[in-house]
Coordinates of all heavy atoms in Angstrom, one line a residue:
M1 N 93.0 108.1 92.8 CA 91.7 107.4 92.5 C 91.9 106.6 91.2 O 92.6 107.0 90.3 CB 90.6 108.4 92.2 CG 89.3 107.8 92.1 SD 87.9 109.1 91.9 CE 88.0 109.4 90.2
A2 N 91.4 105.4 91.2 CA 91.5 104.5 90.1 C 90.1 103.8 89.9 O 89.5 103.4 90.9 CB 92.6 103.5 90.3
K3 N 89.7 103.7 88.7 CA 88.5 102.9 88.4 C 88.9 101.5 87.9 O 89.7 101.3 87.1 CB 87.7 103.6 87.3 CG 87.1 104.9 87.7 CD 86.2 105.5 86.6 CE 85.6 106.8 87.1 NZ 84.9 107.5 86.1
I4 N 88.2 100.5 88.6 CA 88.5 99.1 88.3 C 87.2 98.5 87.8 O 86.2 98.7 88.5 CB 89.0 98.4 89.6 CG1 90.1 99.2 90.3 CG2 89.4 97.0 89.3 CD1 91.4 99.4 89.5
T5 N 87.3 97.7 86.8 CA 86.1 97.0 86.3 C 86.2 95.5 86.5 O 87.2 94.9 86.1 CB 85.9 97.3 84.8 OG1 85.7 98.7 84.6 CG2 84.7 96.6 84.2
Y6 N 85.2 95.0 87.1 CA 85.1 93.5 87.4 C 84.0 93.0 86.4 O 82.9 93.5 86.3 CB 84.6 93.3 88.8 CG 85.5 93.8 89.9 CD1 85.4 95.1 90.3 CD2 86.5 93.0 90.4 CE1 86.2 95.6 91.3 CE2 87.3 93.5 91.4 CZ 87.2 94.8 91.8 OH 88.0 95.3 92.8
I7 N 84.4 92.0 85.7 CA 83.5 91.3 84.7 C 83.2 89.9 85.1 O 84.0 89.1 85.4 CB 84.2 91.3 83.3 CG1 84.5 92.7 82.8 CG2 83.3 90.6 82.3 CD1 85.2 92.8 81.5
Q8 N 81.9 89.7 85.2 CA 81.4 88.4 85.7 C 81.4 87.4 84.5 O 81.5 87.8 83.4 CB 79.9 88.6 86.2 CG 79.7 89.4 87.4 CD 80.4 88.8 88.6 OE1 80.4 87.6 88.8 NE2 80.8 89.7 89.5
P9 N 81.3 86.1 84.9 CA 81.4 85.1 83.8 C 80.3 85.3 82.8 O 80.4 84.8 81.6 CB 81.1 83.8 84.6 CG 81.7 84.1 86.0 CD 81.3 85.5 86.2
D10 N 79.1 85.9 83.1 CA 78.1 86.1 82.2 C 78.3 87.4 81.3 O 77.5 87.7 80.5 CB 76.7 86.2 82.9 CG 76.5 87.4 83.7 OD1 77.5 88.3 83.8 OD2 75.5 87.5 84.4
G11 N 79.4 88.0 81.5 CA 79.7 89.2 80.7 C 79.3 90.5 81.4 O 79.7 91.6 80.9
S12 N 78.5 90.5 82.4 CA 78.1 91.7 83.0 C 79.3 92.4 83.7 O 80.2 91.7 84.3 CB 76.9 91.5 84.0 OG 77.3 90.6 85.0
A13 N 79.3 93.7 83.7 CA 80.5 94.4 84.2 C 80.1 95.4 85.3 O 79.0 95.9 85.3 CB 81.2 95.1 83.1
R14 N 81.0 95.6 86.2 CA 80.8 96.6 87.3 C 82.0 97.4 87.5 O 83.1 96.8 87.7 CB 80.4 95.8 88.6 CG 80.2 96.6 89.8 CD 78.8 96.8 90.1 NE 78.7 97.5 91.4 CZ 78.7 97.0 92.6 NH1 78.8 95.7 92.7 NH2 78.6 97.7 93.6
T15 N 82.0 98.7 87.5 CA 83.1 99.5 87.7 C 83.1 100.2 89.0 O 82.0 100.7 89.4 CB 83.2 100.6 86.6 OG1 83.4 99.9 85.3 CG2 84.4 101.5 86.8
C16 N 84.2 100.0 89.8 CA 84.2 100.6 91.1 C 85.4 101.5 91.2 O 86.4 101.4 90.5 CB 84.4 99.4 92.2 SG 83.2 98.1 92.1
V17 N 85.3 102.5 92.1 CA 86.3 103.5 92.3 C 87.1 103.1 93.5 O 86.6 102.9 94.6 CB 85.7 104.9 92.5 CG1 86.8 105.9 92.7 CG2 84.9 105.3 91.3
N18 N 88.4 103.1 93.3 CA 89.4 102.7 94.4 C 89.8 104.0 95.2 O 90.0 105.0 94.6 CB 90.6 102.1 93.8 CG 91.7 102.0 94.8 OD1 91.6 101.3 95.8 ND2 92.9 102.6 94.5
F19 N 89.9 103.8 96.5 CA 90.5 104.8 97.3 C 91.9 104.3 97.7 O 92.2 103.1 97.8 CB 89.6 105.0 98.5 CG 88.3 105.6 98.2 CD1 87.2 104.7 98.0 CD2 88.2 106.9 97.8 CE1 86.0 105.2 97.7 CE2 86.9 107.4 97.5 CZ 85.8 106.6 97.4
E20 N 92.8 105.2 98.0 CA 94.2 104.9 98.3 C 94.3 103.8 99.4 O 93.6 103.8 100.4 CB 94.9 106.1 98.8 CG 96.4 106.1 98.6 CD 96.8 105.9 97.1 OE1 96.1 106.5 96.2 OE2 97.7 105.2 96.9
G21 N 95.2 102.8 99.1 CA 95.5 101.8 100.1 C 94.7 100.6 100.1 O 94.8 99.7 100.9
M22 N 93.7 100.5 99.1 CA 92.9 99.3 99.0 C 93.6 98.2 98.1 O 94.4 98.6 97.2 CB 91.5 99.6 98.5 CG 90.8 100.5 99.4 SD 89.1 100.9 98.8 CE 88.2 99.5 99.4
T23 N 93.2 97.0 98.3 CA 93.6 95.9 97.4 C 92.4 95.7 96.4 O 91.3 96.1 96.7 CB 93.9 94.6 98.1 OG1 92.7 94.1 98.7 CG2 95.0 94.8 99.2
L24 N 92.8 94.9 95.4 CA 91.7 94.6 94.4 C 90.6 93.8 95.1 O 89.4 93.9 94.8 CB 92.4 93.7 93.3 CG 91.6 93.3 92.1 CD1 91.0 94.6 91.4 CD2 92.5 92.5 91.2
M25 N 91.0 93.0 96.1 CA 90.0 92.2 96.8 C 89.1 93.1 97.7 O 87.9 93.0 97.7 CB 90.7 91.1 97.7 CG 89.8 90.4 98.6 SD 89.4 91.2 100.2 CE 90.8 90.8 101.2
H26 N 89.7 94.0 98.5 CA 89.0 94.9 99.4 C 88.0 95.7 98.6 O 86.9 96.0 99.0 CB 89.9 95.8 100.2 CG 90.6 95.1 101.3 ND1 91.9 94.9 101.5 CD2 90.0 94.4 102.4 CE1 92.2 94.2 102.6 NE2 91.1 93.9 103.1
L27 N 88.4 96.2 97.4 CA 87.5 97.0 96.6 C 86.3 96.2 96.2 O 85.2 96.7 96.2 CB 88.3 97.6 95.4 CG 87.4 98.5 94.5 CD1 87.1 99.8 95.2 CD2 88.2 98.8 93.2
A28 N 86.5 94.9 95.8 CA 85.4 94.1 95.4 C 84.5 93.8 96.5 O 83.2 93.9 96.4 CB 86.0 92.8 94.8
V29 N 85.0 93.4 97.6 CA 84.2 93.1 98.8 C 83.4 94.3 99.3 O 82.2 94.2 99.6 CB 85.1 92.5 99.9 CG1 84.3 92.4 101.2 CG2 85.7 91.1 99.5
G30 N 84.1 95.4 99.3 CA 83.5 96.7 99.8 C 82.3 97.1 98.9 O 81.4 97.8 99.3
N31 N 82.4 96.7 97.7 CA 81.3 97.1 96.7 C 80.4 95.9 96.4 O 79.6 96.0 95.4 CB 82.0 97.6 95.4 CG 82.5 99.0 95.6 OD1 81.8 100.0 95.5 ND2 83.8 99.1 95.9
L32 N 80.5 94.8 97.2 CA 79.6 93.7 97.0 C 79.6 93.1 95.6 O 78.6 92.7 95.1 CB 78.2 94.0 97.4 CG 78.0 94.6 98.8 CD1 76.5 95.0 99.1 CD2 78.5 93.6 99.9
V33 N 80.8 93.0 95.1 CA 81.0 92.4 93.8 C 80.9 90.9 93.9 O 81.6 90.3 94.7 CB 82.4 92.7 93.1 CG1 82.6 91.9 91.9 CG2 82.5 94.2 92.9
D34 N 80.0 90.3 93.2 CA 79.8 88.8 93.3 C 81.0 88.1 92.9 O 81.8 88.5 92.0 CB 78.6 88.4 92.3 CG 77.3 88.7 92.9 OD1 77.2 89.0 94.1 OD2 76.3 88.8 92.1
G35 N 81.3 86.9 93.6 CA 82.3 86.0 93.1 C 83.7 86.3 93.8 O 84.6 85.5 93.6
I36 N 83.8 87.3 94.6 CA 85.0 87.5 95.4 C 84.6 87.4 96.8 O 84.1 88.3 97.5 CB 85.7 88.9 95.1 CG1 86.0 89.0 93.7 CG2 86.9 89.1 96.0 CD1 87.2 88.2 93.2
D37 N 84.8 86.2 97.4 CA 84.4 85.9 98.8 C 85.4 86.3 99.8 O 85.1 86.7 100.9 CB 84.0 84.4 98.9 CG 82.8 84.1 98.0 OD1 81.7 84.6 98.2 OD2 83.0 83.4 97.0
A38 N 86.7 86.0 99.5 CA 87.8 86.5 100.4 C 87.6 86.0 101.8 O 87.7 86.8 102.8 CB 87.9 88.0 100.3
L39 N 87.3 84.7 102.0 CA 87.0 84.2 103.3 C 88.1 84.3 104.3 O 87.8 84.3 105.5 CB 86.6 82.7 103.1 CG 85.4 82.4 102.2 CD1 85.1 80.9 102.1 CD2 84.1 83.2 102.8
C40 N 89.3 84.4 103.9 CA 90.4 84.5 104.9 C 90.8 85.9 105.2 O 91.7 86.2 106.0 CB 91.6 83.7 104.5 SG 92.6 84.5 103.1
G41 N 90.1 86.8 104.5 CA 90.3 88.3 104.8 C 91.6 88.8 104.3 O 92.1 89.8 104.7
G42 N 92.2 88.1 103.3 CA 93.4 88.6 102.7 C 94.7 88.0 103.2 O 95.8 88.5 102.9
M43 N 94.6 86.9 103.9 CA 95.8 86.2 104.5 C 96.4 85.2 103.5 O 97.3 84.5 103.9 CB 95.4 85.5 105.8 CG 94.8 86.5 106.9 SD 95.9 87.8 107.3 CE 97.1 86.8 108.3
M44 N 95.9 85.2 102.3 CA 96.4 84.3 101.3 C 96.3 82.8 101.7 O 97.3 82.0 101.5 CB 97.9 84.7 100.9 CG 98.2 84.3 99.5 SD 99.7 85.1 98.9 CE 101.0 84.6 100.0
Q45 N 95.2 82.5 102.3 CA 95.0 81.1 102.7 C 93.8 80.4 102.2 O 93.6 79.2 102.3 CB 95.0 81.0 104.3 CG 96.3 81.5 104.9 CD 96.2 81.4 106.4 OE1 95.2 81.3 107.0 NE2 97.4 81.6 107.0
C46 N 92.9 81.2 101.5 CA 91.6 80.6 101.1 C 91.5 80.4 99.6 O 90.9 79.5 99.1 CB 90.4 81.3 101.6 SG 90.2 83.0 100.9
G47 N 92.0 81.4 98.8 CA 91.9 81.3 97.4 C 90.6 81.8 96.8 O 90.4 81.8 95.6
T48 N 89.7 82.2 97.7 CA 88.4 82.6 97.3 C 88.3 84.0 96.7 O 87.2 84.6 96.5 CB 87.3 82.4 98.3 OG1 87.6 83.2 99.5 CG2 87.2 81.0 98.8
C49 N 89.5 84.6 96.6 CA 89.6 86.0 96.0 C 90.2 85.8 94.6 O 90.6 86.8 94.0 CB 90.4 86.9 96.8 SG 92.1 86.4 97.0
H50 N 90.3 84.6 94.1 CA 90.9 84.3 92.8 C 90.2 85.1 91.7 O 89.0 85.2 91.6 CB 90.8 82.8 92.5 CG 91.3 82.4 91.2 ND1 90.6 81.4 90.5 CD2 92.4 82.8 90.5 CE1 91.3 81.2 89.3 NE2 92.3 82.0 89.3
C51 N 91.0 85.7 90.8 CA 90.5 86.3 89.6 C 91.5 86.2 88.5 O 92.6 85.7 88.6 CB 90.2 87.8 89.9 SG 91.7 88.8 90.2
Y52 N 91.0 86.6 87.3 CA 91.9 86.7 86.1 C 92.1 88.1 85.7 O 91.1 88.9 85.5 CB 91.2 85.9 84.9 CG 90.8 84.5 85.2 CD1 89.4 84.2 85.2 CD2 91.7 83.5 85.6 CE1 89.0 82.9 85.5 CE2 91.3 82.2 85.8 CZ 90.0 81.9 85.8 OH 89.6 80.6 86.1
I53 N 93.4 88.5 85.6 CA 93.7 89.8 85.1 C 93.5 89.8 83.6 O 93.9 88.9 82.9 CB 95.2 90.2 85.4 CG1 95.4 90.0 86.9 CG2 95.5 91.6 84.9 CD1 94.6 90.9 87.8
D54 N 92.8 90.9 83.1 CA 92.6 91.0 81.7 C 94.0 91.0 80.9 O 94.9 91.6 81.4 CB 91.9 92.3 81.4 CG 91.4 92.4 79.9 OD1 90.3 91.8 79.6 OD2 92.1 92.9 79.1
D55 N 94.0 90.3 79.8 CA 95.2 90.2 79.0 C 96.0 91.5 78.8 O 97.2 91.6 78.9 CB 95.0 89.6 77.7 CG 94.6 88.1 77.8 OD1 94.9 87.5 78.8 OD2 94.0 87.6 76.8
A56 N 95.2 92.6 78.6 CA 95.8 93.9 78.4 C 96.5 94.5 79.6 O 97.3 95.4 79.5 CB 94.7 94.8 77.8
W57 N 96.3 93.9 80.8 CA 96.8 94.5 82.0 C 97.8 93.6 82.7 O 98.4 94.0 83.7 CB 95.6 94.8 82.9 CG 94.9 96.0 82.5 CD1 93.8 96.0 81.6 CD2 95.1 97.3 82.9 NE1 93.4 97.3 81.5 CE2 94.2 98.1 82.2 CE3 96.1 97.9 83.8 CZ2 94.2 99.5 82.4 CZ3 96.0 99.3 83.9 CH2 95.1 100.1 83.3
T58 N 98.1 92.4 82.3 CA 98.9 91.5 83.0 C 100.3 92.0 83.2 O 100.9 91.9 84.3 CB 99.0 90.1 82.3 OG1 99.4 90.3 81.0 CG2 97.7 89.4 82.4
E59 N 100.9 92.7 82.2 CA 102.2 93.2 82.3 C 102.3 94.3 83.4 O 103.2 94.4 84.2 CB 102.7 93.7 81.0 CG 104.2 93.8 80.9 CD 104.7 94.0 79.5 OE1 104.3 93.3 78.6 OE2 105.5 95.0 79.3
R60 N 101.3 95.2 83.4 CA 101.3 96.3 84.3 C 101.1 95.9 85.7 O 101.6 96.4 86.7 CB 100.3 97.4 83.9 CG 100.6 98.7 84.5 CD 99.8 99.9 84.1 NE 99.6 99.9 82.6 CZ 98.8 100.9 82.1 NH1 98.3 101.8 82.8 NH2 98.7 100.9 80.8
V61 N 100.2 94.9 85.9 CA 99.9 94.4 87.2 C 101.1 93.6 87.8 O 101.4 93.7 89.0 CB 98.7 93.4 87.2 CG1 98.5 92.7 88.6 CG2 97.4 94.3 86.9
G62 N 101.8 92.9 86.9 CA 103.0 92.2 87.3 C 102.7 90.8 87.8 O 101.6 90.4 87.9
P63 N 103.8 90.0 88.0 CA 103.6 88.6 88.3 C 103.3 88.4 89.8 O 103.6 89.3 90.6 CB 105.0 88.0 88.0 CG 105.9 89.1 88.2 CD 105.2 90.4 87.9
P64 N 102.8 87.2 90.2 CA 102.6 86.9 91.6 C 103.9 86.7 92.3 O 104.9 86.4 91.7 CB 101.7 85.7 91.6 CG 102.0 85.0 90.3 CD 102.3 86.1 89.3
S65 N 103.9 86.9 93.6 CA 105.1 86.5 94.4 C 105.2 85.0 94.4 O 104.3 84.3 94.0 CB 104.9 87.0 95.9 OG 103.8 86.3 96.5
D66 N 106.3 84.5 94.9 CA 106.5 83.1 95.0 C 105.5 82.4 95.9 O 104.9 81.4 95.5 CB 107.9 82.8 95.6 CG 109.0 83.1 94.6 OD1 108.7 83.4 93.4 OD2 110.2 83.1 95.0
D67 N 105.1 83.0 97.0 CA 104.1 82.5 97.9 C 102.7 82.4 97.2 O 102.0 81.5 97.3 CB 104.0 83.3 99.2 CG 105.2 83.0 100.1 OD1 105.9 82.0 99.9 OD2 105.4 83.8 101.1
E68 N 102.4 83.5 96.5 CA 101.1 83.6 95.8 C 101.1 82.5 94.7 O 100.1 81.8 94.5 CB 100.9 85.0 95.3 CG 99.5 85.1 94.6 CD 99.3 86.4 93.9 OE1 100.0 87.4 94.2 OE2 98.3 86.5 93.1
A69 N 102.2 82.4 94.0 CA 102.3 81.4 92.9 C 102.1 80.0 93.4 O 101.4 79.2 92.8 CB 103.6 81.6 92.1
A70 N 102.7 79.8 94.6 CA 102.5 78.4 95.2 C 101.0 78.2 95.6 O 100.5 77.1 95.4 CB 103.4 78.3 96.4
M71 N 100.4 79.2 96.1 CA 99.0 79.1 96.4 C 98.1 78.9 95.2 O 97.2 78.0 95.2 CB 98.5 80.4 97.2 CG 97.1 80.4 97.6 SD 96.8 79.1 98.9 CE 95.0 79.3 99.2
L72 N 98.4 79.6 94.1 CA 97.7 79.4 92.9 C 97.9 78.0 92.3 O 96.9 77.3 91.8 CB 98.1 80.4 91.8 CG 97.6 81.8 92.1 CD1 98.4 82.8 91.2 CD2 96.1 82.0 91.9
E73 N 99.1 77.5 92.4 CA 99.4 76.1 92.0 C 98.5 75.1 92.8 O 98.0 74.2 92.2 CB 100.9 75.9 92.2 CG 101.4 74.7 91.4 CD 102.9 74.5 91.5 OE1 103.6 75.6 91.4 OE2 103.3 73.4 91.7
A74 N 98.4 75.3 94.1 CA 97.6 74.4 94.9 C 96.2 74.5 94.5 O 95.4 73.5 94.6 CB 97.8 74.8 96.4
L75 N 95.7 75.7 94.1 CA 94.3 75.8 93.8 C 93.9 75.1 92.5 O 92.8 74.8 92.2 CB 94.0 77.3 93.6 CG 93.9 78.2 94.8 CD1 93.7 79.6 94.5 CD2 92.9 77.7 95.8
A76 N 94.9 74.9 91.6 CA 94.7 74.3 90.3 C 94.0 73.0 90.4 O 93.4 72.5 89.4 CB 96.0 74.2 89.5
D77 N 94.0 72.3 91.5 CA 93.3 71.0 91.6 C 91.8 71.2 91.7 O 91.1 70.3 91.4 CB 93.8 70.3 92.9 CG 95.2 69.8 92.8 OD1 95.7 69.6 91.7 OD2 95.8 69.6 93.9
S78 N 91.4 72.4 92.1 CA 89.9 72.6 92.3 C 89.3 73.6 91.4 O 88.1 73.6 91.3 CB 89.6 72.9 93.8 OG 90.4 74.0 94.2
V79 N 90.1 74.5 90.9 CA 89.5 75.6 90.0 C 90.4 75.8 88.8 O 91.5 75.3 88.7 CB 89.3 76.9 90.8 CG1 88.3 76.8 91.9 CG2 90.7 77.4 91.3
D80 N 89.8 76.5 87.9 CA 90.5 76.8 86.6 C 91.6 77.9 86.8 O 91.2 79.0 86.6 CB 89.5 77.1 85.5 CG 90.1 77.4 84.2 OD1 91.2 77.0 83.9 OD2 89.4 78.0 83.3
V81 N 92.8 77.5 87.0 CA 93.9 78.4 87.2 C 94.5 78.6 85.8 O 94.8 77.7 85.1 CB 94.9 78.0 88.2 CG1 96.1 78.9 88.3 CG2 94.3 77.9 89.6
R82 N 94.7 79.9 85.4 CA 95.3 80.2 84.1 C 96.5 81.1 84.3 O 96.8 81.6 85.4 CB 94.2 81.1 83.3 CG 92.9 80.3 83.2 CD 91.9 81.2 82.6 NE 90.5 80.6 82.6 CZ 89.4 81.2 82.2 NH1 89.4 82.5 81.8 NH2 88.3 80.6 82.2
P83 N 97.2 81.3 83.2 CA 98.4 82.2 83.3 C 98.1 83.6 83.8 O 99.0 84.3 84.4 CB 99.0 82.2 81.9 CG 98.5 81.0 81.3 CD 97.1 80.7 81.9
T84 N 96.9 84.0 83.7 CA 96.5 85.4 84.1 C 95.9 85.4 85.5 O 95.4 86.4 86.0 CB 95.5 86.0 83.1 OG1 94.4 85.2 83.0 CG2 96.1 86.2 81.8
S85 N 95.9 84.2 86.2 CA 95.3 84.1 87.5 C 96.1 84.9 88.5 O 97.3 84.9 88.5 CB 95.3 82.6 88.0 OG 94.3 81.9 87.3
R86 N 95.4 85.5 89.4 CA 96.0 86.2 90.6 C 95.0 86.1 91.8 O 93.8 85.9 91.6 CB 96.2 87.7 90.3 CG 97.3 88.0 89.3 CD 98.7 87.6 89.7 NE 99.1 88.1 91.1 CZ 99.7 89.3 91.2 NH1 100.0 90.0 90.2 NH2 100.0 89.7 92.4
L87 N 95.6 86.2 92.9 CA 94.8 86.4 94.1 C 94.6 87.9 94.3 O 95.5 88.6 94.5 CB 95.5 85.8 95.4 CG 95.7 84.3 95.3 CD1 96.5 83.8 96.5 CD2 94.4 83.5 95.2
S88 N 93.3 88.3 94.3 CA 93.1 89.7 94.3 C 93.5 90.4 95.6 O 93.7 91.6 95.6 CB 91.6 90.0 94.0 OG 90.7 89.4 94.9
C89 N 93.6 89.6 96.7 CA 94.0 90.2 97.9 C 95.5 90.6 97.9 O 96.0 91.3 98.8 CB 93.8 89.3 99.1 SG 94.7 87.8 99.1
Q90 N 96.2 90.2 96.9 CA 97.7 90.5 96.8 C 98.0 91.6 95.9 O 99.1 91.9 95.6 CB 98.4 89.2 96.4 CG 98.2 88.0 97.4 CD 98.6 88.4 98.8 OE1 99.8 88.8 99.1 NE2 97.7 88.3 99.8
I91 N 96.9 92.2 95.3 CA 97.2 93.3 94.4 C 96.8 94.6 95.0 O 95.6 94.9 95.2 CB 96.4 93.0 93.1 CG1 96.9 91.7 92.4 CG2 96.6 94.2 92.1 CD1 96.1 91.3 91.2
Q92 N 97.8 95.4 95.3 CA 97.6 96.7 95.8 C 97.2 97.7 94.7 O 97.9 97.8 93.7 CB 98.9 97.2 96.5 CG 98.7 98.3 97.5 CD 97.9 98.0 98.7 OE1 98.1 96.9 99.3 NE2 97.0 98.8 99.1
L93 N 96.2 98.4 94.9 CA 95.7 99.3 93.8 C 96.3 100.7 94.0 O 96.4 101.2 95.1 CB 94.2 99.4 93.9 CG 93.4 98.1 93.5 CD1 92.0 98.3 93.8 CD2 93.7 97.6 92.1
G94 N 96.7 101.3 92.9 CA 97.2 102.6 92.9 C 96.8 103.3 91.5 O 96.2 102.7 90.7
E95 N 97.2 104.5 91.4 CA 96.9 105.3 90.2 C 97.3 104.6 88.9 O 96.7 104.7 87.9 CB 97.5 106.7 90.3 CG 97.1 107.5 91.4 CD 95.8 108.1 91.3 OE1 95.4 108.3 90.1 OE2 95.1 108.3 92.3
E96 N 98.4 103.9 89.0 CA 98.9 103.2 87.8 C 98.0 102.1 87.3 O 98.2 101.7 86.2 CB 100.4 102.7 88.1 CG 100.4 101.4 88.9 CD 100.2 101.7 90.4 OE1 100.0 102.8 90.8 OE2 100.3 100.7 91.2
L97 N 97.1 101.7 88.1 CA 96.1 100.7 87.6 C 94.8 101.2 87.3 O 93.8 100.5 87.2 CB 96.0 99.6 88.7 CG 97.3 98.8 88.9 CD1 97.1 97.7 90.0 CD2 97.9 98.2 87.6
D98 N 94.7 102.5 87.1 CA 93.4 103.2 86.7 C 93.0 102.6 85.4 O 93.8 102.6 84.4 CB 93.6 104.7 86.6 CG 92.3 105.4 86.3 OD1 91.2 104.9 86.7 OD2 92.3 106.4 85.6
G99 N 91.8 102.0 85.4 CA 91.2 101.4 84.1 C 91.4 99.9 84.1 O 90.9 99.2 83.2
L100 N 92.0 99.3 85.2 CA 92.2 97.9 85.2 C 90.9 97.1 85.0 O 89.9 97.5 85.6 CB 92.8 97.5 86.6 CG 93.0 96.0 86.9 CD1 94.0 95.4 86.0 CD2 93.4 95.9 88.4
V101 N 91.0 96.0 84.3 CA 89.9 95.1 84.0 C 90.2 93.8 84.6 O 91.3 93.2 84.2 CB 89.5 95.1 82.5 CG1 88.4 94.1 82.3 CG2 89.2 96.4 82.0
V102 N 89.4 93.2 85.4 CA 89.6 91.8 85.9 C 88.4 91.0 85.6 O 87.2 91.5 85.6 CB 89.9 91.8 87.4 CG1 91.2 92.6 87.7 CG2 88.8 92.4 88.2
H103 N 88.6 89.7 85.5 CA 87.5 88.8 85.2 C 87.3 87.9 86.4 O 88.3 87.3 87.0 CB 87.8 87.9 84.0 CG 88.0 88.8 82.8 ND1 87.0 89.1 81.9 CD2 89.2 89.5 82.3 CE1 87.5 89.9 80.9 NE2 88.8 90.1 81.2
I104 N 86.0 87.7 86.8 CA 85.7 86.8 87.9 C 85.5 85.4 87.4 O 84.8 85.2 86.5 CB 84.4 87.3 88.6 CG1 84.5 88.8 88.9 CG2 84.1 86.5 89.8 CD1 85.4 89.2 90.0
P105 N 86.1 84.4 88.1 CA 86.0 83.0 87.7 C 84.5 82.5 88.0 O 83.8 83.1 88.8 CB 86.9 82.2 88.6 CG 87.8 83.3 89.2 CD 87.0 84.6 89.3
S106 N 84.1 81.5 87.3 CA 82.8 81.0 87.5 C 82.7 80.2 88.8 O 81.6 80.0 89.3 CB 82.4 80.1 86.3 OG 83.3 79.1 86.1
D107 N 83.8 79.7 89.2 CA 83.9 78.9 90.5 C 85.0 79.4 91.4 O 86.1 79.7 90.9 CB 84.0 77.4 90.2 CG 82.8 76.9 89.5 OD1 81.7 77.0 90.0 OD2 83.1 76.3 88.4
Q108 N 84.8 79.4 92.7 CA 85.9 79.6 93.6 C 86.1 78.4 94.5 O 85.2 77.6 94.6 CB 85.5 80.8 94.6 CG 85.4 82.2 93.9 CD 86.8 82.7 93.4 OE1 87.8 82.0 93.3 NE2 86.9 84.0 93.3
P109 N 87.3 78.2 95.0 CA 87.5 76.9 95.7 C 86.6 76.8 97.0 O 86.5 77.7 97.7 CB 89.0 77.0 96.1 CG 89.3 78.5 96.0 CD 88.4 79.0 94.9
G110 N 86.0 75.7 97.1 CA 85.2 75.4 98.3 C 83.9 76.2 98.4 O 83.3 76.1 99.5
V111 N 83.5 76.9 97.4 CA 82.3 77.8 97.5 C 81.2 77.2 96.7 O 81.5 76.8 95.6 CB 82.7 79.2 97.2 CG1 81.4 80.1 97.2 CG2 83.7 79.8 98.1
Ligands
LIG1 FE1 91.9 84.5 101.0 FE2 92.9 86.2 99.1 S1 91.3 86.6 100.5 S2 93.5 84.2 99.6

């Protein structure tokens, strides 16, 4: 079990409990967290699951894969992509991420 906190652009926070095998995106969608639309269902084709990993957690979460990095680069034309940007559908949650904090962008691509 891991508790994950999603922080909205207005500063409001929501903590959700992860069950084994979920991604950061699935946890958000399953708990109706605003701002994670995940329109492609985790196929890494929409970018609407974009989020920012809190600075304190970037090292533990790790870098994006080459494919994810390419998708993030493509998104930079339409949304604010930062060094801490990740696609939440590509982050598998486990005990090691208990306490993870992520920030929801103010805009998602095409939404
Ligand atoms: Fe579409 Fe992550 S859900 S890219």
